[in-house]
Amino acid sequence: MAQSKVLIVEDSASLALGYAAQLEDAGHEVSLCETLAEARRSLLGETFEVVLLDLQLPDGDGLTLFDALPGSKGNPAVIVVTADGSLNRAITAMRLGAYDFLVKPVAGTRLVSTVGAAAEQTERLGAASEPKASAHEEADTFHGFIGKSPAMRAVFRTIESVADSKATVFVTGESGTGKEVTAEAIHSASNRKNGPFVAINCGAIPENLLESELFGHVKGAFTGAIENRIGAAKAADGGTLFLDEICEMDLKLQVKLLRFLQTGMIQRVGTSAAEPVNVRIVCATNRDPEMEVVEGRFREDLYYRLNVIPITLPALRERGEDIALIATNLASRIATEEGRSFSGFSKASSAFLEQHNWPGNVRELQNALRRAIITGARGKIELVGIARPSALGQAPVSGMLQPVPTLPSRLEPLSPAPSTSDFAGMTLEQIERTAIEQAIARKSGNIVQAARALGVSPSTIYRKIEKWSD
């Protein structure tokens, strides 16, 4: 942990002295000031690695101190300290460039670890670092992404600018747009790239097991807990924790996640002992999180705590020339995996790539290419009749060959629908498959609507269909 000079801007003498004592015990050099005016003078006269900033100060709003940072010595990292009722303002501070924020009362271990991490970032970045050209400006690839459309370049710029921050990132976008790729890109572009990247799908794990998967458990905590388990949060210590389909999380567990985000401490199921964890949180959903909050399925305070840095991914249909780039890259890779040759796309297929709506985005494109390569003749890839526009309730593309029915025959409506007695002798997997197929058929092949009717994520259904195609 870096030993550094810390400026504490806090008008409560008891709090300021308490913070100072803990930081000095950790080896940091501390200076105190009670007002914005004193803080500005200190920043002009001395070099600090970290500023610990209260937002409620006698002579004004602590947020205005960010205006003084460009003229200060060095480039200190700012950690905002706020009360529970000021979370919105703390998030504003993060968007102004704050490294992190802490909620009062601040645990000593969290304070020391956060200041240490912030100091390390300041030392690494350096006061005189020269700006570098963005890695994505001319290249067709960026940390796992393929493409260079204006919409994606905006995403790449955001990833580069927030990579080294500890601020939580909330990624939204349709199913199949690359939310996990975004999380991995943030991790690989950050100072945590040598640490672990741990992904957990909140919608794919039963509610009664998700807490254990996230925070761990001790042996004997519940039936089936035959050994200690550290959980995803601890496994990601020093790295990045990606929470996919975050809006699927049960409300009771949302409370515990919020507590973890505020304290940096986890508590395994079956024990009262708390452990510190240093992770960067990236979360994602294909739902509208604000609507989930309005309808009471997602806590408002947790949403504001997670939505510090929002990233919205464009749908594939909005990415223009990227579609052909992605298709060519995927086709080449799939052909190699399947032991086939790839010599490009037919003229009709190239037109189809541009004109199809791709409601399933990159995941749909990938599945269509694999089917075309496996089932098609050698030579140029023919997508017409493989990726079918009417499959998801769309009109055929003008001038294209008339597509065959939307989905594989196994997804055609079963008539009549099975009764409860019809499930006798079927496995749970067979019942699940039947239910999904019926839902898709009832929605005329629209995966998104079928998922909504079943109360699951569209990505869950896409994964099931891909599994059944193997």
Side-chain angles (χ1 to χ4, degrees):
M1 180 179 296
Q3 310 302 298
S4 59
K5 291 185 65 176
V6 181
L7 177 64
I8 297 177
V9 188
E10 169 63 67
D11 64 325
S12 169
S14 59
L15 286 177
L17 291 173
Y19 299 153
Q22 294 174 75
L23 294 174
E24 286 173 346
D25 286 345
H28 299 289
E29 181 182 339
V30 176
S31 295
L32 303 177
C33 58
E34 298 181 356
T35 65
L36 284 168
E38 291 177 28
R40 290 191 178 99
R41 286 194 296 269
S42 296
L43 289 170
L44 288 172
E46 297 182 64
T47 299
F48 294 94
E49 282 73 40
V50 181
V51 176
L52 196 64
L53 176 65
D54 185 28
L55 294 183
Q56 302 288 349
L57 295 168
D59 56 342
D61 187 342
L63 291 177
T64 61
L65 188 63
F66 284 91
D67 297 335
L69 293 178
S72 64
K73 288 191 173 183
N75 186 25
V78 179
I79 300 170
V80 167
V81 182
T82 181
D84 285 321
S86 301
L87 285 179
N88 288 346
R89 297 180 65 237
I91 291 171
T92 299
M94 298 290 286
R95 291 173 178 164
L96 289 173
Y99 173 77
D100 200 355
F101 69 86
L102 303 173
V103 178
K104 297 177 181 179
V106 182
T109 52
R110 179 67 185 275
L111 173 67
V112 171
S113 64
T114 303
V115 168
E120 289 174 356
Q121 173 179 285
T122 300
E123 182 179 352
R124 184 177 56 258
L125 294 177
S129 57
E130 293 295 331
K132 298 179 180 178
S134 297
H136 60 80
E137 290 301 328
E138 298 298 333
D140 292 343
T141 60
F142 176 81
H143 290 291
F145 280 104
I146 302 167
K148 55 182 180 180
S149 63
M152 288 308 297
R153 282 183 177 174
V155 171
F156 301 158
R157 284 193 296 271
T158 301
I159 290 173
E160 285 184 329
S161 65
V162 306
D164 278 340
S165 169
K166 198 183 175 184
T168 53
V169 179
F170 205 134
V171 187
T172 56
E174 295 179 8
S175 180
T177 49
K179 291 184 285 294
E180 184 164 354
V181 178
T182 303
E184 292 174 340
I186 292 170
H187 176 75
S188 62
S190 75
N191 52 26
R192 295 171 175 264
K193 61 184 177 183
N194 294 324
F197 175 86
V198 179
I200 185 168
N201 189 319
C202 301
I205 301 172
E207 291 179 6
N208 60 328
L209 295 179
L210 184 55
E211 180 179 359
S212 170
E213 289 293 320
L214 185 56
F215 298 127
H217 64 252
V218 296
K219 183 178 179 180
F222 51 84
T223 303
I226 59 176
E227 60 183 4
N228 292 335
R229 182 181 183 88
I230 65 172
K234 189 67 174 179
D237 198 10
T240 302
L241 176 63
F242 175 53
L243 302 176
D244 196 8
E245 297 184 17
I246 187 71
C247 287
E248 307 283 345
M249 183 177 287
D250 179 70
L251 283 168
K252 292 180 180 178
L253 186 53
Q254 289 178 30
V255 177
K256 296 182 179 181
L257 176 61
L258 179 61
R259 180 65 178 166
F260 164 56
L261 293 172
Q262 291 175 340
T263 65
M265 308 287 285
I266 62 168
Q267 185 175 318
R268 300 191 198 186
V269 178
T271 181
S272 59
E275 306 172 56
V277 174
N278 175 20
V279 296
R280 169 70 172 291
I281 301 291
V282 180
C283 61
T285 182
N286 53 28
R287 297 188 181 186
D288 180 347
E290 294 186 357
M291 183 58 66
E292 295 297 302
V293 170
V294 169
E295 296 183 356
R297 292 187 293 268
F298 201 76
R299 290 180 62 96
E300 184 177 19
D301 49 4
L302 178 59
Y303 171 63
Y304 286 126
R305 185 60 179 82
L306 292 172
N307 194 42
V308 177
I309 306 294
I311 295 179
T312 300
L313 297 178
L316 184 59
R317 60 185 170 274
E318 299 168 353
R319 294 179 56 182
E321 62 182 11
D322 284 358
I323 299 174
L325 285 173
I326 296 170
T328 300
N329 183 281
L330 288 176
S332 179
R333 189 172 69 208
I334 293 170
T336 300
E337 292 172 358
E338 300 293 341
R340 303 294 184 94
S341 60
F342 170 60
S343 57
F345 296 94
S346 67
K347 185 175 180 180
S349 293
S350 294
F352 182 84
L353 284 171
E354 294 180 6
Q355 298 177 49
H356 183 47
N357 200 36
W358 299 112
N361 295 292
V362 177
R363 187 177 291 116
E364 180 191 354
L365 173 61
Q366 183 174 16
N367 290 344
L369 290 170
R370 188 175 294 276
R371 286 196 300 271
I373 289 171
I374 292 174
T375 63
R378 296 185 182 275
K380 293 187 180 295
I381 291 180
E382 294 288 349
L383 283 172
V384 181
I386 296 293
R388 296 172 288 272
S390 63
L392 296 167
Q394 297 173 284
V397 178
S398 175
M400 303 296 290
L401 296 176
Q402 181 66 27
V404 295
T406 306
L407 296 163
S409 59
R410 65 173 186 274
L411 297 180
E412 291 300 315
L414 302 178
S415 180
S419 65
T420 303
S421 61
D422 292 330
F423 292 137
M426 295 176 65
T427 65
L428 181 59
E429 183 176 1
Q430 290 170 329
I431 295 172
E432 177 187 61
R433 178 169 173 172
T434 300
I436 291 174
E437 290 173 348
Q438 288 282 345
I440 294 173
R442 284 195 299 271
K443 299 300 181 181
S444 302
N446 190 309
I447 301 292
V448 175
Q449 291 182 12
R452 187 175 296 117
L454 291 170
V456 299
S457 166
S459 60
T460 299
I461 295 183
Y462 278 115
R463 284 195 296 272
K464 297 287 185 183
I465 294 175
E466 185 173 7
K467 177 182 176 182
W468 299 335
S469 300
D470 292 341

